[in-house]
Amino acid sequence: MKAALFIPCLTEHLLPEPGLSMVRILNKLGVEVEYVENQTCCGQPAYNSGYHQQVIPLAEQFIELFHDKEVIIAPSGSCVAMVREEYKHLKLREDLKAPYERLKGRIYEFTEFLVDVLNVDQLGGRFPHRVTYHDSCHLSRMLGVREQPRRLIANIADIDFLEMQGSDVCCGFGGTFSYKMKEISVEMVKRKCDSIQESQAEYCIGADSSCLMNIQGYLTQNGYSARTLHIAELLARSLEL
Amino acid sequence: MHVTPRKTKTYIKTALKDSVLRRAVLNATGSTVASRQAIIDELPYWEDLREKAHAIKKDVIKHLDTTLQTFEQRCTDNGIQVHWAADDQEARQIILGIAERNRVCKVVKSKSLTTEEIHLNSSLIDKGIDTLETDLGEYIIQLMEQIPSHLIIPALHLTRKEIGKLFQEKLGNAYTEDPHELLKIARRTLRQHFLSADMGISGANFGIAETGSICIVENEANAHLTTTLPDIHVAVMGIEKLLPDFKALPYFLKLLPANATGQKSSTFVNFISGPTHAKLGEGPKEMHVVLLDNGRSRILQDPKLRQTLFCIRCASCLNSCPVYQQIGGHAYGWVYMGPIGITLIPQYLGESVGKTSPYVCSLCTACRDACPVKIDLPAHILNLRSRLAAHGKTSRIERTGMRIWAFLARHPRLYRFATWFPGKAQQLLPGGRSFPAPGYTRKRTLPRFDAQGFRKRFNTLQMPSAGQQTEHANSEDNR
């Protein structure tokens, strides 16, 4: 199988490691990966801020670049949700409607791809630490991906998995929300960090770098001992990849 | 107390500083969400209920004109006087007119959020009419001279201590914070008013077109007393509150209490189908229904936002909203708050008044899952944002920024250059720091731009052939 990588902006510019870990794991599982040149942004930040007209050409560009790929995989639920669930609300060019329909059924978030498509939920790694899991909003509620990452985590040897209170309560990131409504956003991430601390986990695992960036940013600056770790990185580390 | 969504940002700051309020809101919403979930867990057909309720509301709203006609006709047949109010002013005039014609001195009220929408109390009081809220929460709010902070639990933001002090101060009883004692005190005070009131004003949870009846769901029986003891009963309801017939009702009687208060069913359900008949000898001699439009028919014309008229005011979206949980209801500056509030504010009050409201949301979509009638609230919020952007109501800087960004994103080479630049510029910052972002980085650190970026790193990864395992000695270097 050949997988096209859909690399979100945050992965490209700030946090490449989850993306690289994802590639190493896919390679280990025998999936050939391809970086699609000329990809930029799926348009989510602008879309969520209401600039729907500006997003249309980006969506069209995305569809043109990716529509003929066998499968498309991203290390981010919210970017996949943007393509799978929100592009359909845009007035796309007529000739791109059919390609979009095909593409929609072949785009996956990383853990969803491993568990639902490859039927792999045990990679054989080992990680002797206490971890908890944060359900990203778009991944859990828009894509319905809740069990897949948990299964992957639970099957790592020597790992101690601890559910936190309100694992699916928003961390307060919400893209431009974290800036526009920063006072509320900060209180929301504080609540999330308190839940992580109460769970006594050393690592908060997540499948969306944006949430993790927000959580890690608060943990670091406010003296919490827990750290965040993207699930692809967790799996790669547990396999010593 | 006059509040306006124009000042949402100021209210938010005030609310966030109030730790007592925030604890009260978080506790109350948390317990309601938990009891609601317990009910859902027991009902395997929960999703079917929601589907059905959605379908019923969709159909009613689609045929609202004829359903309203039927409702009016049946009400008239039952001896109910039906009034149409185009806006809040007209509604107030109608109700004041009824009061004046009947020389009303005292009004008792119950279960009427809609009257908050039209600011009825102050105009009654201005006319010298003693006006009293009788639902415990509303009564507390009235004594406090506040507006409700929640659709169902108006005094949700207050603690027992605060209510105890309020009662001691305003009602002159010995201090207590025992909820049962407080309830007893309120009951004792209100009982006299029920008996001496000339007019009862209520809302209506549902209007049933087929029979010309209204249905009021409650736990305290105050609505029952309000609608039966005084000689005149006026029910104020939004035109969207209709159900076609009694067959439709059970779905809503199941969904409403579960979502509103986390109860399997409410304690009382009142059906009122007209004034008393001489032979029965009790109940009001005169009954009025005021059908309030106040912007609703405009929403009806809007296919993208019409769904907001499905709302049954259960507050489930508020309870599940992590933003509401932090700031409570007053921060929204209007009678409707939380996810449904922020979608209704610009729709009812206009884009200029409501230009902040749609942004008081992180788009977490918890409200979409919570809504019993399946209103796609996040889609509505996005829609309102897109209108604000399209109508030039967003800041010039943001609009220009978005335009430049969208241009770059369509030109991959330029985009790559534009995004390579911050990584380079960052190296000039002392001590390996990341960029500061005003406000954001006051409490949170941002990660540093990666010097290379994923694409370059990916190209340097040693690519194994399919199925083969390889060592990635550079994995640590990549961090």
Side-chain angles (χ1 to χ4, degrees):
Chain A
M1 191 184 286
K2 193 170 180 181
L5 299 174
F6 165 23
I7 299 301
C9 310
L10 217 58
T11 310
E12 176 61 53
H13 306 296
L14 293 166
L15 303 160
E17 194 49 39
L20 297 165
S21 298
M22 175 175 84
V23 172
R24 292 184 191 118
I25 291 159
L26 291 173
N27 280 338
K28 182 185 155 61
L29 293 169
V31 178
E32 202 184 328
V33 294
E34 170 197 6
Y35 179 84
V36 178
E37 284 295 329
N38 291 333
Q39 58 178 297
T40 58
C41 174
C42 67
Q44 189 179 190
Y47 183 79
N48 286 351
S49 306
Y51 295 87
H52 294 190
Q53 282 307 314
Q54 276 85 336
V55 178
I56 294 169
L58 298 191
E60 291 174 345
Q61 175 175 284
F62 186 92
I63 297 164
E64 281 167 351
L65 282 174
F66 283 94
H67 76 94
D68 58 351
K69 303 299 173 194
E70 192 181 347
V71 288
I72 306 146
I73 305 168
S76 157
S78 76
C79 302
V80 171
M82 175 69 196
V83 175
R84 202 193 284 172
E85 302 295 328
E86 305 288 7
Y87 276 12
K88 62 186 172 206
H89 302 302
L90 296 170
K91 281 202 183 81
L92 299 171
R93 241 166 48 210
E94 272 309 311
D95 62 308
L96 289 178
K97 287 198 171 154
Y100 170 58
E101 284 305 313
R102 283 199 300 277
L103 178 150
K104 220 170 63 179
R106 286 179 285 127
I107 183 163
Y108 300 97
E109 181 276 329
F110 172 60
T111 65
E112 185 186 27
F113 177 73
L114 290 191
V115 176
D116 296 350
V117 181
L118 295 184
N119 288 315
V120 171
D121 63 4
Q122 185 150 22
L123 285 146
R126 177 177 173 272
F127 194 75
H129 295 281
R130 296 186 305 275
V131 306
T132 189
Y133 178 75
H134 164 65
D135 282 282
S136 291
C137 298
H138 291 180
L139 181 66
S140 64
R141 277 186 287 269
M142 284 176 83
L143 301 181
V145 175
R146 295 182 182 89
E147 288 312 309
Q148 294 89 327
R150 285 185 170 78
R151 266 163 66 185
L152 286 161
I153 295 169
N155 286 334
I156 296 172
D158 301 333
I159 204 162
D160 190 0
F161 182 73
L162 307 152
E163 271 299 346
M164 70 168 111
Q165 272 281 327
S167 66
D168 67 346
V169 174
C170 178
C171 73
F173 182 64
T176 49
F177 173 81
S178 67
Y179 188 76
K180 279 193 175 169
M181 294 287 156
K182 35 190 165 315
E183 292 88 359
I184 307 175
S185 171
V186 162
E187 295 303 323
M188 285 163 76
V189 72
K190 177 180 187 300
R191 183 180 170 193
K192 179 59 66 177
C193 292
D194 289 344
S195 298
I196 295 168
Q197 181 164 286
E198 279 158 29
S199 78
Q200 303 199 326
E202 297 162 76
Y203 293 94
C204 170
I205 312 300
D208 257 281
S209 294
S210 49
C211 311
L212 297 180
M213 175 182 85
N214 184 42
I215 297 168
Q216 182 66 68
Y218 193 85
L219 291 173
T220 314
Q221 204 170 317
N222 297 279
Y224 292 77
S225 59
R227 291 292 165 259
T228 61
L229 196 59
H230 191 281
I231 189 155
E233 275 186 275
L234 167 73
L235 295 171
R237 276 203 208 176
S238 76
L239 291 163
E240 294 177 16
L241 286 178
Chain B
M1 182 166 122
H2 185 69
V3 290
T4 164
R6 283 183 200 274
K7 293 188 191 160
T8 304
K9 283 198 164 177
T10 316
Y11 298 149
I12 289 170
K13 285 193 180 125
T14 313
L16 288 175
K17 281 185 202 131
D18 190 340
S19 57
V20 178
L21 168 133
R22 291 178 57 202
R23 209 170 26 250
V25 174
L26 199 58
N27 286 343
T29 52
S31 67
T32 313
V33 167
S35 2
R36 171 183 176 272
Q37 192 56 48
I39 295 174
I40 297 174
D41 293 342
E42 275 182 31
L43 294 179
Y45 51 88
W46 180 259
E47 283 306 310
D48 300 334
L49 280 178
R50 291 177 73 205
E51 288 288 346
K52 186 71 185 173
H54 178 89
I56 293 169
K57 278 311 263 190
K58 191 175 176 181
D59 201 52
V60 169
I61 298 302
K62 192 174 169 194
H63 304 112
L64 192 57
D65 50 349
T66 51
T67 317
L68 277 166
Q69 279 166 16
T70 312
F71 181 67
E72 182 183 25
Q73 187 57 54
R74 297 285 183 275
C75 282
T76 313
D77 295 347
N78 293 343
I80 300 172
Q81 299 176 47
V82 179
H83 311 262
W84 297 83
D87 56 21
D88 55 338
Q89 197 191 344
E90 205 177 335
R92 287 194 301 267
Q93 273 167 4
I94 292 165
I95 298 161
L96 283 174
I98 300 169
E100 273 166 20
R101 272 199 303 284
N102 293 282
R103 297 199 175 80
V104 167
C105 299
K106 186 184 278 183
V107 164
V108 281
K109 291 181 67 204
S110 174
K111 299 290 289 178
S112 54
L113 197 62
T114 317
T115 62
E116 292 280 353
E117 180 188 326
I118 59 170
H119 308 293
L120 182 63
N121 287 11
S122 55
S123 52
L124 286 169
I125 292 165
D126 287 349
K127 290 277 173 194
I129 299 167
D130 194 0
T131 306
L132 217 83
E133 294 290 348
T134 65
D135 299 318
L136 183 60
E138 278 282 348
Y139 180 57
I140 293 166
I141 291 302
Q142 194 183 20
L143 286 180
M144 275 271 193
E145 296 174 34
Q146 291 185 348
I147 62 166
S149 76
H150 188 272
L151 300 180
I152 301 291
I153 318 162
L156 167 128
H157 59 292
L158 298 173
T159 57
R160 264 187 262 167
K161 270 202 180 75
E162 285 172 299
I163 297 165
K165 269 189 229 153
L166 174 79
F167 274 32
Q168 186 187 22
E169 211 174 280
K170 299 259 174 164
L171 305 178
N173 55 275
Y175 175 82
T176 172
E177 54 178 72
D178 175 12
H180 293 289
E181 284 303 313
L182 290 169
L183 184 64
K184 267 193 213 160
I185 295 163
R187 275 212 179 124
R188 233 176 6 243
T189 316
L190 290 170
R191 189 156 300 159
Q192 296 313 313
H193 295 291
F194 277 124
L195 293 166
S196 57
D198 320 289
M199 185 157 117
I201 299 179
S202 76
N205 290 98
F206 309 102
I208 296 147
E210 180 193 37
T211 55
S213 321
I214 63 165
C215 171
I216 304 176
V217 179
E218 61 163 340
N219 284 317
E220 299 169 17
N222 295 332
H224 182 69
L225 297 173
T226 298
T227 57
T228 51
L229 288 177
D231 274 349
I232 305 156
H233 170 211
V234 180
V236 186
M237 61 187 275
I239 53 169
E240 83 285 12
K241 283 291 186 82
L242 289 188
L243 292 180
D245 45 37
F246 264 85
K247 277 207 311 275
L249 198 62
Y251 302 101
F252 294 89
L253 292 184
K254 196 100 190 158
L255 286 167
L256 181 60
N259 282 290
T261 45
Q263 289 171 287
K264 278 187 185 166
S265 70
S266 63
T267 316
F268 301 97
V269 180
N270 302 281
F271 296 106
I272 306 163
S273 308
T276 186
H277 297 288
K279 61 178 177 185
L280 297 175
E282 58 183 19
K285 295 184 176 63
E286 204 177 300
M287 183 181 168
H288 301 260
V289 168
V290 179
L291 287 165
L292 178 72
D293 185 325
N294 208 25
R296 287 163 174 82
S297 57
R298 197 178 56 241
I299 300 172
L300 187 67
Q301 302 306 317
D302 189 333
K304 291 227 164 176
L305 297 174
R306 191 176 294 157
Q307 263 189 19
T308 41
L309 295 177
F310 296 8
C311 177
I312 58 168
R313 309 279 189 260
C314 71
S316 190
C317 62
L318 276 60
N319 295 333
S320 70
C321 174
V323 172
Y324 178 89
Q325 288 169 5
Q326 293 289 347
I327 62 177
H330 286 159
Y332 296 84
W334 200 41
V335 53
Y336 306 117
M337 62 290 284
I340 187 68
I342 61 175
T343 61
L344 290 178
I345 287 166
Q347 292 186 73
Y348 277 38
L349 306 178
E351 270 183 358
S352 298
V353 180
K355 67 180 179 185
T356 307
S357 303
Y359 300 96
V360 191
C361 164
S362 68
L363 291 175
C364 82
T365 73
C367 55
R368 175 161 53 202
D369 284 5
C371 179
V373 288
K374 300 188 90 165
I375 300 172
D376 192 347
L377 286 158
H380 285 67
I381 291 166
L382 276 171
N383 237 307
L384 289 161
R385 288 184 187 181
S386 82
R387 286 179 192 193
L388 287 166
H391 298 170
K393 305 269 182 200
T394 48
S395 79
R396 189 187 294 269
I397 298 174
E398 184 183 291
R399 283 203 305 279
T400 315
M402 284 295 174
R403 225 171 277 144
I404 295 171
W405 167 85
F407 173 81
L408 291 172
R410 286 202 308 278
H411 299 82
R413 282 167 156 274
L414 279 175
Y415 186 80
R416 214 173 288 151
F417 174 76
T419 47
W420 162 84
F421 182 73
K424 285 287 156 200
Q426 182 181 247
Q427 291 172 4
L428 302 171
L429 291 175
R433 257 186 269 153
S434 56
F435 280 114
Y440 185 99
T441 47
R442 204 162 58 82
K443 293 263 174 77
R444 285 168 290 197
T445 317
L446 275 172
R448 283 173 63 79
F449 274 81
D450 190 79
Q452 285 182 290
F454 176 87
R455 183 172 160 273
K456 279 200 182 141
R457 289 196 189 279
F458 174 77
N459 288 334
T460 57
L461 268 187
Q462 194 189 339
M463 283 294 112
S465 57
Q468 229 179 353
Q469 225 179 306
T470 188
E471 294 218 2
H472 293 276
N474 60 345
S475 73
E476 275 309 305
D477 300 342
N478 285 340
R479 293 203 50 76

